[in-house]
Amino acid sequence: TMLGRDPARIAPDVAAWELLVHPDDLPRVWQEFHAHAKGETPAFRSEYRMKRADGSWCWILDRGRVTRRDGHGNPLRASGVHMDITQSKELEMSLQKALEQARAATLAKTAFLANMSHEIRTPMTAILGYTDLLHDDITRTPAQRLDYIATIRRNGEHLLAVINDIQIGRASCRERV
């Protein structure tokens, strides 16, 4: 009924069930079932997709257990229940997608920060280095000192451009949001 089918029109056997299980899920479900049928697990539990009457797929939680075995331990009878877990599976998949997006955003942020750190440190190192040269070495000629000042200025302008680019990027991100 939960598949939108008339139970009277579905044969009560494994072959009818097998036709409704998603082909990608069937090998795993059979493996899980056979493990229980052999007595390797105390109960059968599996999540898989089944085809609805309208052709769509729904997620099923199938739980059951062999209730009677023959003298050799082979299953004779089993009982169980199917529950529609489509909504919880969809929620689980959307949470997984959100987690993947968050991880991707974190990687992008890390890459951005590493790049910005490099972009800021390079001119800052030149500015500090040439400032130290101007401060510590008074024997430099006026031409050398002007060259140092020009280097400091050029790197300061580069640093300001980097900071402006960051700010413009933030502003354009805010505009998109």
Coordinates of all heavy atoms in Angstrom, one line a residue, residues 58-152:
C58 N 11.0 5.2 -3.5 CA 10.9 5.6 -2.1 C 12.0 4.7 -1.3 O 12.3 3.6 -1.7 CB 9.5 5.4 -1.5 SG 8.9 3.7 -1.4
W59 N 12.4 5.3 -0.2 CA 13.3 4.5 0.6 C 12.6 3.7 1.7 O 11.6 4.2 2.3 CB 14.2 5.5 1.4 CG 15.4 6.0 0.5 CD1 15.4 7.1 -0.3 CD2 16.6 5.4 0.3 NE1 16.6 7.2 -0.9 CE2 17.4 6.2 -0.6 CE3 17.2 4.2 0.8 CZ2 18.7 5.8 -1.0 CZ3 18.5 3.8 0.4 CH2 19.2 4.7 -0.5
I60 N 13.0 2.5 1.8 CA 12.4 1.5 2.8 C 13.4 1.1 3.8 O 14.5 0.8 3.5 CB 11.9 0.3 2.0 CG1 10.9 0.7 0.9 CG2 11.3 -0.8 2.9 CD1 9.6 1.3 1.4
L61 N 12.9 1.0 5.0 CA 13.7 0.3 6.1 C 13.0 -1.0 6.2 O 11.8 -1.1 6.5 CB 13.6 1.1 7.4 CG 14.2 0.3 8.6 CD1 15.6 -0.1 8.4 CD2 14.0 1.2 9.9
D62 N 13.8 -2.1 5.9 CA 13.3 -3.4 6.0 C 13.9 -4.1 7.2 O 15.1 -4.2 7.2 CB 13.6 -4.1 4.7 CG 13.0 -5.5 4.5 OD1 12.4 -6.0 5.5 OD2 13.2 -6.1 3.4
R63 N 13.1 -4.6 8.1 CA 13.6 -5.3 9.3 C 12.8 -6.6 9.4 O 11.6 -6.6 9.2 CB 13.3 -4.5 10.5 CG 14.1 -3.1 10.5 CD 13.8 -2.3 11.6 NE 14.5 -2.8 12.8 CZ 14.8 -2.2 13.9 NH1 14.3 -0.9 14.0 NH2 15.4 -2.7 14.9
G64 N 13.6 -7.6 9.7 CA 12.9 -8.9 9.8 C 13.8 -9.9 10.5 O 15.0 -9.7 10.8
R65 N 13.3 -11.2 10.6 CA 14.1 -12.2 11.2 C 13.5 -13.6 10.8 O 12.3 -13.7 10.6 CB 14.1 -12.0 12.7 CG 13.7 -13.0 13.6 CD 13.8 -12.6 15.1 NE 14.2 -11.3 15.3 CZ 14.9 -10.8 16.2 NH1 15.4 -11.6 17.1 NH2 15.2 -9.5 16.3
V66 N 14.4 -14.5 10.7 CA 13.9 -15.9 10.4 C 13.3 -16.4 11.7 O 13.9 -16.3 12.8 CB 15.1 -16.8 10.0 CG1 14.6 -18.3 10.0 CG2 15.7 -16.4 8.7
T67 N 12.0 -16.9 11.6 CA 11.3 -17.3 12.8 C 11.2 -18.8 12.9 O 10.9 -19.4 14.0 CB 9.9 -16.7 12.8 OG1 9.2 -17.1 11.6 CG2 9.9 -15.2 12.9
R68 N 11.6 -19.5 11.8 CA 11.6 -21.0 11.9 C 12.6 -21.5 10.9 O 12.7 -21.1 9.8 CB 10.2 -21.5 11.6 CG 10.0 -22.9 12.1 CD 8.5 -23.3 12.0 NE 8.3 -23.9 10.7 CZ 7.1 -23.9 10.1 NH1 6.1 -23.3 10.7 NH2 6.9 -24.4 8.9
R69 N 13.3 -22.5 11.4 CA 14.4 -23.2 10.6 C 14.1 -24.7 10.6 O 13.6 -25.2 11.6 CB 15.8 -22.8 11.2 CG 16.1 -21.4 11.1 CD 17.6 -21.1 11.6 NE 17.9 -19.7 11.6 CZ 18.4 -19.1 10.5 NH1 18.7 -19.7 9.4 NH2 18.7 -17.8 10.6
D70 N 14.7 -25.3 9.6 CA 14.6 -26.8 9.6 C 15.7 -27.4 10.5 O 16.5 -26.7 11.1 CB 14.6 -27.3 8.2 CG 15.9 -27.1 7.5 OD1 17.0 -26.8 8.1 OD2 15.9 -27.3 6.2
G71 N 15.8 -28.7 10.5 CA 16.8 -29.4 11.3 C 18.2 -29.1 10.9 O 19.1 -29.3 11.7
H72 N 18.4 -28.6 9.7 CA 19.8 -28.3 9.3 C 20.1 -26.8 9.4 O 21.1 -26.3 9.0 CB 20.0 -28.7 7.8 CG 19.7 -30.1 7.6 ND1 20.6 -31.1 8.0 CD2 18.7 -30.7 6.9 CE1 20.1 -32.3 7.6 NE2 19.0 -32.1 7.0
G73 N 19.2 -26.0 10.0 CA 19.4 -24.6 10.2 C 18.9 -23.7 9.0 O 19.1 -22.5 9.0
N74 N 18.4 -24.3 8.0 CA 17.9 -23.6 6.8 C 16.6 -22.8 7.2 O 15.7 -23.4 7.8 CB 17.7 -24.5 5.6 CG 18.9 -25.2 5.2 OD1 20.0 -24.5 5.1 ND2 18.9 -26.5 4.9
P75 N 16.4 -21.6 6.7 CA 15.2 -20.9 7.0 C 14.0 -21.5 6.4 O 14.0 -21.9 5.2 CB 15.5 -19.5 6.5 CG 16.7 -19.6 5.6 CD 17.4 -20.9 5.9
L76 N 12.9 -21.6 7.1 CA 11.6 -22.0 6.6 C 10.6 -20.9 6.6 O 9.7 -20.9 5.7 CB 11.1 -23.2 7.5 CG 11.9 -24.5 7.5 CD1 11.3 -25.5 8.5 CD2 11.8 -25.1 6.1
R77 N 10.7 -20.0 7.6 CA 9.7 -18.9 7.6 C 10.5 -17.7 8.2 O 11.3 -17.8 9.1 CB 8.6 -19.3 8.5 CG 7.5 -18.3 8.7 CD 6.3 -18.9 9.3 NE 5.2 -17.9 9.4 CZ 4.4 -17.6 8.5 NH1 4.5 -18.2 7.3 NH2 3.4 -16.7 8.7
A78 N 10.0 -16.5 7.7 CA 10.6 -15.3 8.2 C 9.4 -14.3 8.3 O 8.4 -14.4 7.6 CB 11.7 -14.7 7.3
S79 N 9.6 -13.3 9.1 CA 8.6 -12.2 9.2 C 9.3 -10.9 9.4 O 10.5 -10.9 9.9 CB 7.6 -12.5 10.3 OG 8.3 -12.5 11.6
G80 N 8.7 -9.9 9.0 CA 9.3 -8.6 9.1 C 8.4 -7.4 8.8 O 7.2 -7.6 8.6
V81 N 8.9 -6.3 8.7 CA 8.2 -5.1 8.4 C 8.9 -4.2 7.5 O 10.2 -4.1 7.5 CB 7.8 -4.4 9.7 CG1 9.0 -3.9 10.4 CG2 6.8 -3.2 9.5
H82 N 8.2 -3.5 6.6 CA 8.8 -2.4 5.8 C 8.3 -1.1 6.3 O 7.1 -0.9 6.5 CB 8.3 -2.6 4.3 CG 9.0 -3.7 3.6 ND1 8.6 -4.0 2.3 CD2 10.0 -4.5 3.9 CE1 9.3 -5.0 1.9 NE2 10.2 -5.4 2.9
M83 N 9.2 -0.1 6.4 CA 8.7 1.2 6.8 C 9.3 2.2 5.8 O 10.4 2.1 5.3 CB 9.3 1.6 8.2 CG 8.8 0.7 9.3 SD 9.4 1.0 11.0 CE 10.7 2.2 10.8
D84 N 8.4 3.2 5.4 CA 8.8 4.2 4.4 C 9.7 5.3 5.2 O 9.2 5.9 6.1 CB 7.6 4.9 3.8 CG 7.9 5.9 2.7 OD1 9.1 6.4 2.6 OD2 7.0 6.2 1.9
I85 N 10.9 5.4 4.8 CA 11.9 6.3 5.4 C 12.3 7.4 4.4 O 13.4 8.0 4.6 CB 13.1 5.6 6.1 CG1 13.8 4.8 5.1 CG2 12.6 4.7 7.3 CD1 15.2 4.3 5.6
T86 N 11.5 7.6 3.4 CA 11.9 8.5 2.3 C 12.2 9.9 2.9 O 13.3 10.5 2.5 CB 10.8 8.6 1.3 OG1 10.6 7.3 0.8 CG2 11.3 9.5 0.1
Q87 N 11.4 10.4 3.7 CA 11.6 11.8 4.2 C 12.9 11.9 5.0 O 13.7 12.8 4.9 CB 10.4 12.2 5.1 CG 9.2 12.6 4.3 CD 8.1 13.1 5.2 OE1 7.9 12.7 6.3 NE2 7.3 14.0 4.7
S88 N 13.2 10.9 5.9 CA 14.4 11.0 6.7 C 15.6 10.8 5.8 O 16.7 11.4 6.0 CB 14.4 10.0 7.8 OG 14.3 8.7 7.4
K89 N 15.5 10.0 4.7 CA 16.6 9.8 3.8 C 16.9 11.1 3.0 O 18.0 11.5 2.8 CB 16.4 8.6 2.8 CG 16.7 7.3 3.4 CD 18.2 7.2 3.8 CE 18.8 6.0 3.4 NZ 20.2 5.9 3.8
E90 N 15.8 11.7 2.6 CA 16.0 13.0 1.9 C 16.6 14.0 2.8 O 17.5 14.8 2.3 CB 14.6 13.5 1.3 CG 14.1 12.6 0.2 CD 12.7 12.9 -0.3 OE1 12.0 13.7 0.5 OE2 12.3 12.4 -1.3
L91 N 16.2 14.1 4.0 CA 16.8 15.0 5.0 C 18.3 14.7 5.2 O 19.2 15.6 5.1 CB 16.1 15.0 6.3 CG 16.6 15.8 7.4 CD1 16.6 17.3 7.0 CD2 15.9 15.7 8.7
E92 N 18.6 13.4 5.3 CA 20.0 13.0 5.5 C 20.8 13.4 4.3 O 21.9 13.9 4.4 CB 20.0 11.4 5.6 CG 21.4 10.8 5.8 CD 21.3 9.3 5.8 OE1 20.3 8.8 6.4 OE2 22.2 8.6 5.2
M93 N 20.3 13.2 3.0 CA 21.0 13.6 1.8 C 21.2 15.1 1.7 O 22.2 15.6 1.3 CB 20.3 13.0 0.6 CG 20.4 11.5 0.5 SD 19.7 10.8 -1.0 CE 18.0 10.6 -0.5
S94 N 20.2 15.8 2.1 CA 20.3 17.3 2.1 C 21.3 17.8 3.1 O 22.1 18.7 2.9 CB 19.0 18.0 2.2 OG 18.5 17.9 3.5
L95 N 21.4 17.1 4.3 CA 22.4 17.5 5.3 C 23.8 17.1 4.8 O 24.7 17.9 5.0 CB 22.1 16.8 6.6 CG 20.9 17.3 7.4 CD1 20.6 16.4 8.6 CD2 21.1 18.7 7.8
Q96 N 23.9 16.0 4.1 CA 25.2 15.6 3.5 C 25.6 16.6 2.5 O 26.8 17.0 2.4 CB 25.1 14.2 2.9 CG 26.4 13.6 2.4 CD 27.4 13.5 3.4 OE1 27.2 13.2 4.6 NE2 28.7 13.7 3.1
K97 N 24.7 17.0 1.7 CA 25.0 18.0 0.6 C 25.5 19.3 1.3 O 26.5 20.0 0.9 CB 23.8 18.3 -0.3 CG 24.1 19.2 -1.4 CD 22.9 19.4 -2.3 CE 23.2 20.4 -3.4 NZ 22.0 20.6 -4.3
A98 N 24.8 19.8 2.3 CA 25.1 21.0 3.0 C 26.5 20.9 3.7 O 27.3 21.8 3.7 CB 24.1 21.3 4.1
L99 N 26.8 19.7 4.2 CA 28.1 19.4 4.8 C 29.2 19.5 3.8 O 30.3 20.1 4.0 CB 28.1 18.1 5.5 CG 29.4 17.7 6.2 CD1 29.8 18.6 7.3 CD2 29.3 16.3 6.8
E100 N 29.0 18.9 2.6 CA 29.9 19.0 1.5 C 30.1 20.5 1.1 O 31.3 20.9 0.8 CB 29.5 18.1 0.3 CG 29.6 16.7 0.6 CD 28.9 15.8 -0.4 OE1 28.5 16.3 -1.5 OE2 28.7 14.6 -0.1
Q101 N 29.1 21.2 1.0 CA 29.2 22.6 0.6 C 30.0 23.4 1.7 O 30.8 24.3 1.3 CB 27.8 23.3 0.4 CG 27.1 22.7 -0.8 CD 25.7 23.2 -0.9 OE1 25.0 23.6 0.1 NE2 25.1 23.2 -2.2
A102 N 29.7 23.1 2.9 CA 30.5 23.8 4.0 C 31.9 23.5 3.9 O 32.8 24.3 4.1 CB 29.9 23.4 5.4
R103 N 32.2 22.2 3.7 CA 33.7 21.8 3.5 C 34.3 22.5 2.4 O 35.4 23.0 2.5 CB 33.8 20.3 3.3 CG 33.5 19.5 4.6 CD 33.8 18.0 4.4 NE 33.5 17.3 5.6 CZ 32.8 16.2 5.7 NH1 32.4 15.6 4.6 NH2 32.7 15.6 6.9
A104 N 33.6 22.6 1.2 CA 34.1 23.3 0.1 C 34.4 24.8 0.4 O 35.4 25.4 0.0 CB 33.2 23.2 -1.1
A105 N 33.4 25.4 1.1 CA 33.6 26.8 1.5 C 34.8 27.0 2.4 O 35.5 28.0 2.3 CB 32.3 27.3 2.2
T106 N 35.0 26.0 3.3 CA 36.1 26.1 4.3 C 37.4 26.0 3.5 O 38.4 26.7 3.8 CB 36.0 25.0 5.3 OG1 34.8 25.2 6.1 CG2 37.2 25.0 6.2
L107 N 37.5 25.1 2.5 CA 38.7 25.0 1.7 C 38.9 26.2 0.9 O 40.1 26.7 0.8 CB 38.6 23.8 0.7 CG 38.6 22.4 1.4 CD1 38.3 21.3 0.4 CD2 40.0 22.2 2.0
A108 N 37.9 26.8 0.3 CA 38.0 28.1 -0.4 C 38.5 29.2 0.5 O 39.4 30.0 0.1 CB 36.7 28.4 -1.1
K109 N 38.0 29.3 1.7 CA 38.4 30.3 2.6 C 39.8 30.1 3.0 O 40.6 31.1 3.1 CB 37.5 30.2 3.9 CG 37.8 31.2 5.0 CD 36.9 31.0 6.2 CE 37.6 31.5 7.4 NZ 36.8 31.2 8.6
T110 N 40.2 28.9 3.3 CA 41.6 28.6 3.6 C 42.6 29.0 2.5 O 43.6 29.6 2.7 CB 41.8 27.1 4.0 OG1 40.9 26.8 5.1 CG2 43.2 26.7 4.3
A111 N 42.2 28.6 1.3 CA 43.0 29.0 0.1 C 43.1 30.5 0.0 O 44.2 31.1 -0.3 CB 42.5 28.3 -1.2
F112 N 41.9 31.2 0.1 CA 41.9 32.6 0.0 C 42.8 33.3 1.1 O 43.6 34.2 0.8 CB 40.5 33.1 0.2 CG 40.4 34.6 0.3 CD1 40.4 35.4 -0.8 CD2 40.2 35.3 1.5 CE1 40.4 36.8 -0.8 CE2 40.1 36.6 1.6 CZ 40.2 37.4 0.5
L113 N 42.7 32.8 2.3 CA 43.5 33.4 3.4 C 45.0 33.1 3.2 O 45.8 34.0 3.4 CB 43.1 32.9 4.7 CG 41.7 33.4 5.2 CD1 41.3 32.7 6.5 CD2 41.7 34.9 5.4
A114 N 45.3 32.0 2.7 CA 46.8 31.7 2.4 C 47.3 32.6 1.3 O 48.4 33.2 1.4 CB 46.9 30.2 2.0
N115 N 46.5 32.8 0.3 CA 46.9 33.7 -0.8 C 47.0 35.1 -0.3 O 47.9 35.9 -0.7 CB 45.9 33.6 -2.0 CG 46.3 34.4 -3.2 OD1 47.5 34.3 -3.6 ND2 45.4 35.2 -3.7
M116 N 46.0 35.6 0.4 CA 46.0 37.0 0.9 C 47.2 37.2 1.9 O 47.8 38.2 1.9 CB 44.7 37.3 1.6 CG 43.5 37.6 0.7 SD 43.8 39.0 -0.4 CE 44.3 38.1 -1.9
S117 N 47.5 36.2 2.7 CA 48.6 36.3 3.6 C 49.9 36.5 2.8 O 50.7 37.4 3.1 CB 48.7 35.0 4.4 OG 49.9 35.0 5.2
H118 N 50.1 35.8 1.7 CA 51.2 35.9 0.9 C 51.2 37.3 0.2 O 52.3 38.0 0.2 CB 51.3 34.8 -0.2 CG 52.3 35.0 -1.2 ND1 53.7 34.8 -1.0 CD2 52.2 35.5 -2.5 CE1 54.4 35.1 -2.1 NE2 53.5 35.5 -3.0
E119 N 50.1 37.7 -0.3 CA 50.0 39.0 -1.0 C 50.3 40.2 -0.1 O 50.8 41.2 -0.5 CB 48.6 39.2 -1.6 CG 48.3 38.2 -2.8 CD 49.2 38.6 -4.0 OE1 49.4 39.8 -4.3 OE2 49.6 37.7 -4.7
I120 N 49.9 40.0 1.2 CA 50.1 41.1 2.1 C 51.6 41.1 2.7 O 52.2 42.1 2.8 CB 49.1 41.1 3.3 CG1 47.7 41.4 2.7 CG2 49.5 42.0 4.4 CD1 46.6 41.2 3.7
R121 N 52.1 39.9 3.0 CA 53.4 39.8 3.5 C 54.5 40.2 2.6 O 55.5 40.8 3.0 CB 53.7 38.3 3.9 CG 53.0 37.9 5.2 CD 53.2 36.4 5.4 NE 52.3 35.9 6.4 CZ 52.6 35.8 7.7 NH1 53.8 36.2 8.1 NH2 51.8 35.4 8.6
T122 N 54.4 40.0 1.3 CA 55.4 40.3 0.3 C 55.7 41.8 0.4 O 56.9 42.2 0.6 CB 55.1 39.8 -1.1 OG1 54.9 38.4 -1.0 CG2 56.2 40.1 -2.1
P123 N 54.8 42.7 0.1 CA 55.1 44.1 0.2 C 55.4 44.6 1.6 O 56.3 45.5 1.8 CB 53.8 44.8 -0.4 CG 52.7 43.8 -0.2 CD 53.4 42.5 -0.3
M124 N 54.8 44.0 2.6 CA 55.1 44.4 4.0 C 56.5 44.1 4.4 O 57.2 44.9 5.0 CB 54.1 43.7 4.9 CG 54.2 44.2 6.4 SD 54.0 46.0 6.6 CE 52.2 46.0 6.5
T125 N 57.0 43.0 3.9 CA 58.4 42.6 4.2 C 59.4 43.7 3.5 O 60.4 44.1 4.1 CB 58.7 41.2 3.6 OG1 57.9 40.3 4.3 CG2 60.2 40.8 3.9
A126 N 59.1 44.1 2.3 CA 59.9 45.1 1.6 C 59.8 46.4 2.3 O 60.8 47.1 2.6 CB 59.4 45.2 0.2
I127 N 58.6 46.8 2.8 CA 58.4 48.1 3.5 C 59.3 48.1 4.8 O 60.0 49.0 5.0 CB 56.9 48.4 3.8 CG1 56.2 48.6 2.5 CG2 56.8 49.5 4.8 CD1 54.7 48.6 2.6
L128 N 59.1 47.0 5.5 CA 59.9 47.0 6.8 C 61.4 46.9 6.6 O 62.1 47.5 7.3 CB 59.3 45.8 7.6 CG 57.9 45.9 8.1 CD1 57.5 44.6 8.8 CD2 57.7 47.1 9.1
G129 N 61.8 46.1 5.6 CA 63.2 45.9 5.3 C 63.8 47.2 4.9 O 64.9 47.6 5.4
Y130 N 63.2 47.9 4.0 CA 63.8 49.2 3.5 C 63.7 50.3 4.6 O 64.6 51.2 4.7 CB 63.1 49.6 2.2 CG 63.8 48.9 1.0 CD1 63.2 47.7 0.5 CD2 64.9 49.5 0.4 CE1 63.8 47.1 -0.6 CE2 65.5 48.8 -0.7 CZ 64.9 47.6 -1.1 OH 65.5 47.0 -2.2
T131 N 62.7 50.3 5.4 CA 62.6 51.2 6.5 C 63.7 51.0 7.5 O 64.4 51.9 8.0 CB 61.2 51.0 7.2 OG1 60.2 51.3 6.3 CG2 61.1 52.0 8.4
D132 N 64.0 49.7 7.8 CA 65.2 49.4 8.6 C 66.5 49.9 8.0 O 67.3 50.4 8.7 CB 65.3 47.9 8.9 CG 64.2 47.4 9.9 OD1 63.6 48.2 10.6 OD2 64.0 46.2 9.9
L133 N 66.6 49.7 6.7 CA 67.9 50.2 6.1 C 68.0 51.7 6.2 O 69.1 52.2 6.5 CB 67.9 49.8 4.6 CG 68.1 48.3 4.3 CD1 68.0 48.1 2.8 CD2 69.5 47.9 4.7
L134 N 66.9 52.4 6.0 CA 66.9 53.9 6.1 C 67.2 54.3 7.6 O 68.0 55.2 7.8 CB 65.6 54.5 5.7 CG 65.3 54.7 4.2 CD1 63.9 55.1 4.0 CD2 66.3 55.7 3.6
H135 N 66.7 53.6 8.5 CA 66.8 53.9 9.9 C 68.2 53.6 10.4 O 68.9 54.4 11.1 CB 65.8 53.2 10.7 CG 65.9 53.5 12.2 ND1 66.6 52.8 13.1 CD2 65.3 54.5 12.9 CE1 66.5 53.3 14.3 NE2 65.7 54.4 14.2
D136 N 68.7 52.4 10.1 CA 70.0 51.9 10.7 C 71.2 52.3 9.9 O 72.3 52.3 10.5 CB 69.9 50.4 10.7 CG 68.8 49.9 11.6 OD1 68.3 50.7 12.5 OD2 68.4 48.7 11.5
D137 N 71.1 52.7 8.7 CA 72.4 52.9 7.9 C 72.4 54.4 7.4 O 71.8 54.7 6.4 CB 72.5 52.0 6.8 CG 73.8 52.0 6.1 OD1 74.7 52.9 6.5 OD2 74.1 51.2 5.2
I138 N 73.0 55.3 8.2 CA 73.0 56.7 7.8 C 74.1 57.0 6.8 O 74.2 58.1 6.3 CB 73.2 57.6 9.0 CG1 74.5 57.2 9.8 CG2 72.0 57.5 10.0 CD1 74.9 58.2 10.9
T139 N 74.9 56.0 6.4 CA 76.0 56.2 5.4 C 75.4 56.2 3.9 O 76.2 56.4 3.0 CB 77.1 55.2 5.5 OG1 76.5 53.9 5.2 CG2 77.6 55.2 6.9
R140 N 74.2 55.9 3.7 CA 73.6 55.8 2.4 C 73.6 57.2 1.8 O 73.4 58.2 2.4 CB 72.2 55.3 2.4 CG 72.1 53.9 3.0 CD 72.6 52.9 2.0 NE 72.5 51.5 2.7 CZ 73.2 50.5 2.3 NH1 74.1 50.7 1.3 NH2 73.1 49.4 2.9
T141 N 73.8 57.2 0.5 CA 73.8 58.5 -0.3 C 72.4 59.0 -0.4 O 71.4 58.2 -0.3 CB 74.4 58.4 -1.7 OG1 73.5 57.5 -2.4 CG2 75.8 57.8 -1.6
P142 N 72.2 60.3 -0.6 CA 70.8 60.7 -0.8 C 70.1 60.0 -1.9 O 68.9 59.7 -1.8 CB 71.0 62.2 -1.1 CG 72.2 62.6 -0.5 CD 73.1 61.4 -0.6
A143 N 70.8 59.7 -3.0 CA 70.2 58.9 -4.1 C 69.7 57.5 -3.7 O 68.6 57.1 -4.0 CB 71.1 58.8 -5.3
Q144 N 70.5 56.9 -2.9 CA 70.2 55.5 -2.4 C 68.9 55.7 -1.4 O 68.0 54.9 -1.5 CB 71.3 54.9 -1.6 CG 72.5 54.5 -2.5 CD 73.7 54.0 -1.7 OE1 74.0 54.6 -0.7 NE2 74.3 52.9 -2.2
R145 N 69.0 56.7 -0.6 CA 67.9 56.9 0.3 C 66.5 57.2 -0.4 O 65.5 56.7 -0.1 CB 68.2 58.0 1.3 CG 69.3 57.7 2.3 CD 69.8 58.8 3.1 NE 69.0 59.1 4.3 CZ 69.0 58.3 5.4 NH1 69.7 57.2 5.4 NH2 68.2 58.6 6.4
L146 N 66.6 58.0 -1.5 CA 65.4 58.2 -2.3 C 65.0 57.0 -3.0 O 63.8 56.7 -3.1 CB 65.7 59.3 -3.4 CG 65.8 60.8 -2.8 CD1 66.3 61.7 -3.9 CD2 64.5 61.2 -2.2
D147 N 65.9 56.1 -3.4 CA 65.6 54.8 -4.0 C 64.9 53.9 -3.0 O 63.9 53.3 -3.3 CB 66.8 54.1 -4.6 CG 66.5 52.9 -5.3 OD1 65.6 52.9 -6.2 OD2 67.1 51.8 -5.0
Y148 N 65.3 53.9 -1.8 CA 64.7 53.1 -0.7 C 63.3 53.7 -0.4 O 62.3 52.9 -0.3 CB 65.5 53.2 0.6 CG 66.8 52.5 0.6 CD1 67.7 52.6 1.6 CD2 67.2 51.7 -0.5 CE1 68.9 51.9 1.7 CE2 68.4 51.0 -0.5 CZ 69.3 51.1 0.6 OH 70.4 50.5 0.6
I149 N 63.2 55.0 -0.4 CA 61.8 55.6 -0.2 C 60.9 55.3 -1.3 O 59.7 55.0 -1.1 CB 62.0 57.1 0.1 CG1 62.7 57.4 1.4 CG2 60.6 57.8 0.0 CD1 63.1 58.8 1.6
A150 N 61.4 55.3 -2.5 CA 60.6 54.9 -3.7 C 60.1 53.5 -3.6 O 58.9 53.1 -3.9 CB 61.3 55.2 -5.0
T151 N 61.0 52.6 -3.1 CA 60.6 51.2 -3.0 C 59.6 51.0 -1.9 O 58.6 50.3 -2.0 CB 61.9 50.3 -2.6 OG1 62.8 50.5 -3.7 CG2 61.6 48.9 -2.4
I152 N 59.8 51.7 -0.8 CA 58.8 51.7 0.3 C 57.4 52.2 -0.2 O 56.4 51.6 0.0 CB 59.2 52.5 1.5 CG1 60.4 51.9 2.2 CG2 58.1 52.7 2.5 CD1 61.2 52.7 3.2

